[in-house]
Amino acid sequence: MKSIKTSADLKLAIQQTKLQQANELILLKEEFTNSLDRLKPINLIKDAFKEAVAAPDLKTDIINAAIGLTTGIVAKKIIIGKTLNPLSKLLGVMLEVFVTNKVSKNAEEIKSVGSMIINKIFHKKEYSEKV
């Protein structure tokens, strides 16, 4: 800032300061309005959803969870079946949760083993058809 030597310089400096203050007040009000808009619950939900959808592993995680859940339900149906016994039902639920957790945590290994088995089955079929 240059030094003020005359009253005209002082008036000019005051005007410039008032103008700068008015511009900063406008910017502050705009930023405040934008902040309030971002903090609305619907906008927070939208932003969280956008972040979740943008996550690269979301599809894999959903597929793994679905595979785990399906496997748990099937294991419960096969081992426990339809029963009216409350103890058997409890054991079935515990089995379902256990299998679901194990399968969803190790889904990639299970997928690779499953695809390897399927490839061997279809590869043998193709080999036997050639002979």
Side-chain angles (χ1 to χ4, degrees), residues 19-63:
L19 184 62
Q20 181 182 358
Q21 184 181 16
N23 288 336
E24 289 176 356
L25 182 63
I26 291 169
L27 291 174
L28 182 63
K29 286 180 181 180
E30 287 175 2
E31 187 62 34
F32 181 73
T33 304
N34 290 338
S35 296
L36 280 179
D37 190 46
R38 283 191 305 255
L39 291 175
K40 288 181 181 176
I42 189 71
N43 291 333
L44 291 174
I45 292 170
K46 283 181 186 177
D47 291 342
F49 184 73
K50 286 178 186 176
E51 287 178 18
V53 170
D57 296 334
L58 180 67
K59 290 179 184 176
T60 305
D61 292 343
I62 289 173
I63 291 171

Side-chain angles (χ1 to χ4, degrees), residues 2 52 55 62 111:
K2 64 180 186 179
I62 289 173
K111 285 180 199 174

Side-chain angles (χ1 to χ4, degrees), residues 2-127:
K2 64 180 186 179
S3 61
I4 299 173
K5 296 183 181 175
T6 64
S7 64
D9 291 340
L10 179 61
K11 287 180 183 179
L12 181 63
I14 291 172
Q15 286 177 345
Q16 288 175 345
T17 305
K18 285 183 180 181
L19 184 62
Q20 181 182 358
Q21 184 181 16
N23 288 336
E24 289 176 356
L25 182 63
I26 291 169
L27 291 174
L28 182 63
K29 286 180 181 180
E30 287 175 2
E31 187 62 34
F32 181 73
T33 304
N34 290 338
S35 296
L36 280 179
D37 190 46
R38 283 191 305 255
L39 291 175
K40 288 181 181 176
I42 189 71
N43 291 333
L44 291 174
I45 292 170
K46 283 181 186 177
D47 291 342
F49 184 73
K50 286 178 186 176
E51 287 178 18
V53 170
D57 296 334
L58 180 67
K59 290 179 184 176
T60 305
D61 292 343
I62 289 173
I63 291 171
N64 291 349
I67 290 171
L69 188 59
T70 304
T71 308
I73 291 170
V74 169
K76 176 184 167 190
K77 291 287 183 185
I78 290 173
I79 294 176
I80 303 299
K82 293 182 179 179
T83 183
L84 299 176
N85 186 350
L87 184 59
S88 294
K89 286 184 178 183
L90 177 65
L91 289 174
V93 170
M94 289 173 37
L95 174 71
E96 181 180 347
V97 170
F98 175 76
V99 170
T100 299
N101 285 335
K102 288 296 180 184
V103 170
S104 63
K105 287 181 183 176
N106 301 312
E108 295 302 321
E109 292 86 15
I110 293 171
K111 285 180 199 174
S112 65
V113 169
S115 65
M116 188 172 62
I117 291 170
I118 289 172
N119 285 337
K120 283 187 178 185
I121 290 171
F122 287 117
H123 184 62
K124 281 185 180 180
K125 204 176 213 182
E126 290 173 5
Y127 180 73

